Amino acid sequence: MLELLVIVMVVSVAILLAWWACYGGMAGPIDWVMHTSVHGDRGKQQVALTFDDGPDPARTPALLDALAELHVKATFFMVGASVDANPALVARIAAEGHEIGNHTYTHRYLPMARSKMVAKELALTDRAIERATGIVPTLARPPWGGRSPKTVRTFARLAKRMVLWDVNSFDWKGKPAADVAQRVLERARPGSIILMHEARDHGEVTVEAVRLLVPALRAQGFDLVTVSGVV
Ligand SMILES: [Zn+2]
């Protein structure tokens, strides 16, 4: 009985350590060793809004309308399968001056995947984005920020800049837009990369939060730029 308890405890601690090492929501040991960047230049009053998991025909057009009205260029980390399903929408995102990044083809958790599979996920998405826009992205973000030293090396081998984040909006949690915007405002620093989503159940909250957030960030002296503008 005691042995079983010890085994359960050891396994639990191992899982917690693995999560801590691989989760992208904070700069962890992998970033310290592999020099992965979770934010841009801390010396510039600039932040970058990033939107993951699209394109989503039910959500993205309203987000694009809001960004156009606010004169903000953002960065979209898109899922290759959704790009293939909605090429015209992806073409609109590019035509409106936003930056596009690779977020894998199937939104797979990469630390458990073989390097060959990681490379395939990135290559399929590159091709989908290129078909839709004529552009091959140089930025890529692993789903859930999950990365191991092996993942980081595969991204580098394929000339992808791995982009994580230092401010998580938690816009998917179903909180009111004002709370989402306030959370980001309290945490944004020069060079921050802000994580939001364009394709979740609470997509309308994200759009509303963006409308609150952009003027408030500007009032704090921040310029809003794409990820390439901040790193
Ligand atoms: Zn994602």
Side-chain angles (χ1 to χ4, degrees), residues 70-228:
L70 295 160
H71 304 287
V72 171
K73 305 294 183 214
T75 304
F76 290 77
F77 288 97
M78 294 194 289
V79 176
S82 304
V83 173
D84 270 341
N86 304 281
L89 188 51
V90 179
R92 180 185 163 189
I93 294 172
E96 293 186 7
H98 302 293
E99 187 164 31
I100 293 175
N102 186 323
H103 196 42
T104 75
Y105 199 79
T106 62
H107 207 267
R108 189 187 179 109
Y109 186 65
L110 301 179
M112 313 297 282
R114 301 165 73 97
S115 297
K116 216 170 150 183
M117 180 55 75
V118 174
K120 190 178 165 195
E121 287 274 343
L122 292 175
L124 283 173
T125 307
D126 272 356
R127 261 179 258 147
I129 292 171
E130 189 179 16
R131 273 195 297 273
T133 68
I135 299 164
V136 178
T138 55
L139 308 178
R141 174 177 280 163
W144 302 282
R147 69 255 179 261
S148 66
K150 199 172 65 173
T151 323
V152 175
R153 277 196 297 273
T154 306
F155 272 50
R157 189 158 49 78
L158 297 173
K160 290 281 171 275
R161 180 163 203 150
M162 187 182 279
V163 178
L164 299 168
W165 61 87
D166 65 332
V167 178
N168 191 338
S169 68
F170 286 112
D171 56 349
W172 49 270
K173 274 192 168 176
K175 290 199 171 161
D179 291 7
V180 173
Q182 188 58 32
R183 181 188 161 81
V184 174
L185 270 179
E186 284 166 6
R187 288 165 176 77
R189 298 166 56 195
S192 279
I193 296 173
I194 298 161
L195 171 67
M196 304 186 90
H197 297 85
E198 56 168 319
R200 292 288 174 98
D201 292 343
H202 304 290
E204 65 286 349
V205 169
T206 299
V207 176
E208 214 185 314
V210 164
R211 289 186 184 278
L212 297 170
L213 190 53
V214 168
L217 284 167
R218 285 184 172 140
Q220 289 189 2
F222 288 112
D223 276 338
L224 287 115
V225 296
T226 62
V227 166
S228 287

